[in-house]
Amino acid sequence: MDQALPPQALPSNADLVMVLHNPRAGRRSSQRRLERLLLAIKAYGYRVEAFTDLAEATEAANRRHERGDLRCLVGLGGDGTALELINRCSPGLPLLLFPAGTSNLAASHLGISKSPLAAARLVHDGRVLYLDAGSANGRLFLVMASCGFDAAAVEIVHRRRMEGHRGGHGSFLSFVGPIIHLMRTYSFPELSVTYSLDDQSREELLGPAAWAFVFNLPKYGWGLPLTPQADGTDGELDICTFARGGVARGLWYTAVSQLAIHSRLPDCRLVRGRRIRITASERVAYQLDGDPGGVLPLEIAVVARRVPVVVSPHTAAKWTPENADGKSPSAGS
């Protein structure tokens, strides 16, 4: 297990804050929240540059970070926006994940509210927490990866958003139609899942599975506690598989997982590892942090301390090494 880095202060000599706004994130426009955020940051005396183009924002942020005058990059969007930022930004560049998306799992876990005034305060007196990331076929993810039924639904929802459904905005209701469609058509192909504790360890077979989830942070969907012990600073990934396919079985797994008793099921496996391989003999999609990732086979590895995120001093204190207790801290607790 890699030793977690203690939270650190934001660079004191950097007075530039960059803000990336994803105008398509969430159920409705976040333009007014953006305007309030920019004013609140400026009130602390910082220079602010705002962007809506992802490539432009990350390229500029990387340049200014290398020069040493960038305090942080604020991503105003959801988990998809965060996913793009961690893949495009240089290691060491502090990211503040300001929630404005359909799903804001990472920001929620880090205790970041939707208040522009609170976000501006984080820019001013926040701390930098170094989180692990997962690498899935070379692409980083922050929260989780999964294969099968839910990834197939993510594929459909994403395609419809790109086609302009609901003006390009998303919501949890966007999943209703695709889920109903998949309940009639999805065949639940068998997945083969292996894992190892490190590069030198022998791969262990988890057995056949119909559902496979790999977590860096303990967040999924509306808060389904599949791996509540997952800790984004422990240098490991938490794996959850369910053996049997089918809609009725999936509803059963969901119910017992919501009650946090799924670990008692004989066809549920919960393990930790640093490297995971998932394969199938048929086409099976996978998703990363709620965005389509591709199709199997999938090679996943943990990347320790890869993502510097800005959190409150209160939240940062829960991740200090002396407070570590083997469980993932909950910023809302």
Side-chain angles (χ1 to χ4, degrees), residues 83 86-87 132-147 212-216 237 274-278 285-303 306:
L83 182 71
I86 68 172
N87 277 280
D132 303 333
S135 174
N137 287 353
R139 182 164 172 79
L140 298 178
F141 64 91
L142 187 56
V143 182
M144 59 88 65
S146 67
C147 310
F213 308 87
V214 179
F215 289 89
N216 182 47
L237 298 169
R274 293 175 58 90
R275 304 188 69 86
I276 300 99
R277 183 198 309 268
I278 307 175
Y286 68 88
Q287 61 96 2
L288 306 175
D289 293 352
D291 274 9
V295 296
L296 300 185
L298 180 58
E299 300 272 355
I300 300 177
V302 67
V303 185
R306 173 58 176 80

Side-chain angles (χ1 to χ4, degrees), residues 88-127:
R88 293 170 180 254
C89 288
S90 302
L93 193 160
L95 299 173
L96 199 170
L97 307 179
F98 185 44
T102 303
S103 179
N104 306 288
L105 297 177
S108 171
H109 185 64
L110 296 172
I112 301 174
S113 79
K114 296 183 178 182
S115 163
L117 295 179
R121 184 174 180 84
L122 288 181
V123 168
H124 183 62
D125 64 7
R127 298 292 183 269

Side-chain angles (χ1 to χ4, degrees), residues 194-328:
T194 61
Y195 73 101
S196 59
L197 299 178
D198 53 49
D199 293 335
Q200 287 73 43
S201 298
R202 181 173 61 89
E203 285 190 345
E204 301 285 345
L205 178 65
L206 276 180
W211 315 74
F213 308 87
V214 179
F215 289 89
N216 182 47
L217 300 179
K219 291 285 185 176
Y220 179 66
W222 59 88
L224 197 64
L226 292 177
T227 59
Q229 74 284 358
D231 181 346
T233 63
D234 64 0
E236 296 180 326
L237 298 169
D238 288 66
I239 309 159
C240 175
T241 65
F242 296 101
R244 300 173 64 180
V247 173
R249 183 58 56 170
L251 293 173
W252 167 246
Y253 289 148
T254 300
V256 296
S257 298
Q258 190 65 62
L259 296 172
I261 57 175
H262 55 296
S263 61
R264 305 177 191 175
L265 298 177
D267 50 353
C268 173
R269 295 292 306 278
L270 295 166
V271 297
R272 288 180 176 176
R274 293 175 58 90
R275 304 188 69 86
I276 300 99
R277 183 198 309 268
I278 307 175
T279 60
S281 60
E282 304 177 41
R283 184 191 186 279
V284 176
Y286 68 88
Q287 61 96 2
L288 306 175
D289 293 352
D291 274 9
V295 296
L296 300 185
L298 180 58
E299 300 272 355
I300 300 177
V302 67
V303 185
R305 303 184 296 271
R306 173 58 176 80
V307 183
V309 292
V310 181
V311 298
S312 71
H314 174 71
T315 297
K318 299 181 179 183
W319 262 283
T320 56
E322 58 268 24
N323 289 338
D325 59 2
K327 295 181 180 181
S328 178

Side-chain angles (χ1 to χ4, degrees), residues 9-206:
L10 285 161
S12 59
N13 58 343
D15 67 345
L16 174 64
V17 177
M18 291 185 169
V19 179
L20 169 68
H21 175 217
N22 180 358
R24 299 180 66 178
R27 294 185 294 270
R28 59 183 65 90
S29 172
S30 52
Q31 181 64 33
R32 292 186 63 183
R33 292 177 62 210
L34 169 68
E35 295 167 358
R36 293 175 59 200
L37 174 66
L38 299 179
L39 289 174
I41 295 174
K42 290 177 181 177
Y44 280 101
Y46 298 108
R47 295 179 294 135
V48 182
E49 295 180 8
F51 302 82
T52 55
D53 183 273
L54 175 66
E56 182 183 1
T58 52
E59 289 170 7
N62 287 336
R63 289 196 303 269
R64 302 309 288 265
H65 173 65
E66 185 176 355
R67 287 172 51 176
D69 60 352
L70 179 67
R71 188 167 181 83
C72 67
L73 172 61
V74 181
L76 198 163
D79 289 313
T81 302
L83 182 71
E84 290 296 334
L85 290 179
I86 68 172
N87 277 280
R88 293 170 180 254
C89 288
S90 302
L93 193 160
L95 299 173
L96 199 170
L97 307 179
F98 185 44
T102 303
S103 179
N104 306 288
L105 297 177
S108 171
H109 185 64
L110 296 172
I112 301 174
S113 79
K114 296 183 178 182
S115 163
L117 295 179
R121 184 174 180 84
L122 288 181
V123 168
H124 183 62
D125 64 7
R127 298 292 183 269
V128 179
L129 175 68
Y130 285 83
L131 292 178
D132 303 333
S135 174
N137 287 353
R139 182 164 172 79
L140 298 178
F141 64 91
L142 187 56
V143 182
M144 59 88 65
S146 67
C147 310
F149 184 92
D150 66 329
V154 166
E155 269 193 330
I156 297 173
V157 171
H158 182 77
R159 182 174 66 248
R160 290 181 176 181
R161 287 185 67 181
M162 294 301 99
E163 293 171 351
H165 287 249
R166 299 177 60 87
H169 290 273
S171 72
F172 286 115
L173 291 176
S174 305
F175 284 86
V176 173
I179 288 174
I180 292 174
H181 168 73
L182 291 169
M183 289 172 69
R184 299 194 304 265
T185 62
Y186 194 72
S187 61
F188 294 93
E190 182 177 293
L191 310 175
S192 173
V193 183
T194 61
Y195 73 101
S196 59
L197 299 178
D198 53 49
D199 293 335
Q200 287 73 43
S201 298
R202 181 173 61 89
E203 285 190 345
E204 301 285 345
L205 178 65
L206 276 180

